[in-house]
């Protein structure tokens, strides 16, 4: 290495990986983030947490020098992590901050790198199978792996992480035999078709979901209320729970209920993503599904949803599940009468997920983005709950 090259390396600003930043946040460290994206991008989606301080200041205002009003917001006794969309602009901003005397690094690959974090945690449940939850912190998407006696099923897989499901099933000595969606998702690109293609698993959709105009280039099976699928030594029971969509379906394995977007640990589903004009009617359908299909189940039923929001509180192991009886006690929406429920649900719904119409069209098989385009489409929060705030007491 020449002297000039050595000097260039020495002057390169420090970087941190998305996994390292996530570990710092999870460990309770007081993290300070300078988000150098535009204000609109920041408002739509950013890293947050009880121990995270974040300041948004667009990078194009930081190219020449650090404005005085930003100096007043930056700590001089803590590390500052700068991030942007893809990692390039943040490195330049971090370099300028370092020249100004700050302890600083920048996030490799920016928010696109953050969106690649995917976490696996086995659930402590009384089921004759390994049941694992996958968490995508960037969007709040949850998926599940059920493995028993050499066979496995994946519920609500994401296209971007197909390889991880295969690897984890293989580590458990299982072959994936089913790839199931609870409904036509509006916030992420489904991995059902890719997983079925790569593993020879059977793709499974609720019949009512397929009736929305599914046009896949591979064979798939449909299920209706009461149908069962065998995976090793366990049965997956199908429970129709329309409301969020006409095809919304829960899957039950032992005491674990994969509720999709019908019921979350902090809220219930929004009813407007399939047909905004029919939101009130869908809310009534959701009420019936909750009252007739889900709430009669035993209190110890473990609700395992397809999403979590910033308002959700994780369990001690980082997972997002809750016993049904506990949710009934803490979520007033589950004990309202029908008219009160409907008005409550439609009164203050959050913004619709970004690109949701294109995502729905892709998940119906009507559009065919490549892997990178698909990944770009689903960046951002899920917004599938009826409220941005927790409905739980």
């Amino acid at each position: 290495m020449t002297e000039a090259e050595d000097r260039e390396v020495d002057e390169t600003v420090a970087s941190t990986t998305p996994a390292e930043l996530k570990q710092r946040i999870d460990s309770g460290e007081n993290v300070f983030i300078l988000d150098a994206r535009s204000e609109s991008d920041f408002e739509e989606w950013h890293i947050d947490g009880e121990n995270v301080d974040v300041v948004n200041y667009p990078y194009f205002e930081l190219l020449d020098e650090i404005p005085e009003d930003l100096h007043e917001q930056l700590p001089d006794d803590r590390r500052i992590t700068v991030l942007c969309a893809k990692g390039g602009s943040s490195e330049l901003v971090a370099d300028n901050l370092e020249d100004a005397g700050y302890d600083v690094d920048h996030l490799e690959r920016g928010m696109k790198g953050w969106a690649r974090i995917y976490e696996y945690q086995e659930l402590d449940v009384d089921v004759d199978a390994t049941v694992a939850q996958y968490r995508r912190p960037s969007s709040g998407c949850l998926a599940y792996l059920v493995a028993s006696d050499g066979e496995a099923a994946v519920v609500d897989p994401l296209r971007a992480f197909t390889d991880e499901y295969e690897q984890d099933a293989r580590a458990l000595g299982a072959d994936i035999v089913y790839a199931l969606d609870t409904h036509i998702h509006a916030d992420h690109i489904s991995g059902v078709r890719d997983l079925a293609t790569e593993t020879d698993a059977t793709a499974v959709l609720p019949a009512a979901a397929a009736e929305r105009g599914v046009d896949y280039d591979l064979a798939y099976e449909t299920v209706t209320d009461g149908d069962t699928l065998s995976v090793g030594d366990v049965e997956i029971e199908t429970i129709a729970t329309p409301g969020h969509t006409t095809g919304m379906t829960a899957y039950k394995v032992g005491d674990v209920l994969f509720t999709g977007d019908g019921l979350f640990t902090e809220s219930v589903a929004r009813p407007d993503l399939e047909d905004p004009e029919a939101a009130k009617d869908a809310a009534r359908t959701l009420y019936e599904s909750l009252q007739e299909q889900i709430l009669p189940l035993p209190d110890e039923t473990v609700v395992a949803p397809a999403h979590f929001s910033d308002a959700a509180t994780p369990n001690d192991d980082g997972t997002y599940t809750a016993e049904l009886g506990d949710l009934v006690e803490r979520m007033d929406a589950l004990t309202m009468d029908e008219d009160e429920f409907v008005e409550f649900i439609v009164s203050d719904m959050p913004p619709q997920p970004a690109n949701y119409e294109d995502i729905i069209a892709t998940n119906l098989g009507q559009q065919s983005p490549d892997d990178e385009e698909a990944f770009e489409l689903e960046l951002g929060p899920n917004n599938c709950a009826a409220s941005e705030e927790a409905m739980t007491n």
Side-chain angles (χ1 to χ4, degrees), residues 26-47:
D26 289 347
S27 69
E29 177 183 335
N30 291 323
V31 173
F32 191 97
I33 292 174
L34 173 59
D35 191 320
R37 295 175 299 151
S38 68
E39 183 178 355
S40 60
D41 287 346
F42 174 81
E43 289 298 329
E44 180 180 339
W45 177 46
H46 60 268
I47 299 173

Side-chain angles (χ1 to χ4, degrees), residues 7 37 88 147 152 155 162 166 179 207 214 245 253 267 299 323 342 375 385:
R7 183 167 59 253
R37 295 175 299 151
V155 180
T162 301
E166 294 183 67
V214 166
T245 66
V253 179
S267 182
D299 286 349
E323 289 195 355
V342 171
F375 188 77

Side-chain angles (χ1 to χ4, degrees), residues 257-276:
L257 184 68
F258 305 115
T259 53
D261 288 356
L263 176 63
F264 309 110
T265 62
E266 79 283 14
S267 182
V268 298
R270 64 188 301 161
D272 64 323
L273 294 183
E274 182 174 340
D275 183 359

Side-chain angles (χ1 to χ4, degrees), residues 162-179:
T162 301
D163 291 345
E164 298 205 24
Y165 308 127
E166 294 183 67
Q167 293 168 6
D168 292 334
R170 191 179 305 119
L172 293 170
D175 295 322
I176 298 176
V177 294
Y178 289 112

Side-chain angles (χ1 to χ4, degrees), residues 179-240:
L180 304 92
D181 264 343
T182 54
H183 64 296
I184 301 299
H185 291 277
D187 69 313
H188 68 257
I189 305 301
S190 168
V192 161
R193 283 176 288 169
D194 290 72
L195 195 55
T197 299
E198 294 183 19
T199 66
D200 291 328
T202 300
V204 177
L205 297 175
E211 290 169 2
R212 290 178 60 182
V214 166
D215 184 17
Y216 286 174
D217 55 1
L218 84 166
Y220 61 91
E221 293 184 3
T222 60
V223 289
T224 58
D225 187 63
D227 287 346
T228 59
L229 301 169
S230 296
V231 177
D233 294 329
V234 299
E235 297 286 323
I236 299 179
E237 179 185 354
T238 302
I239 303 175

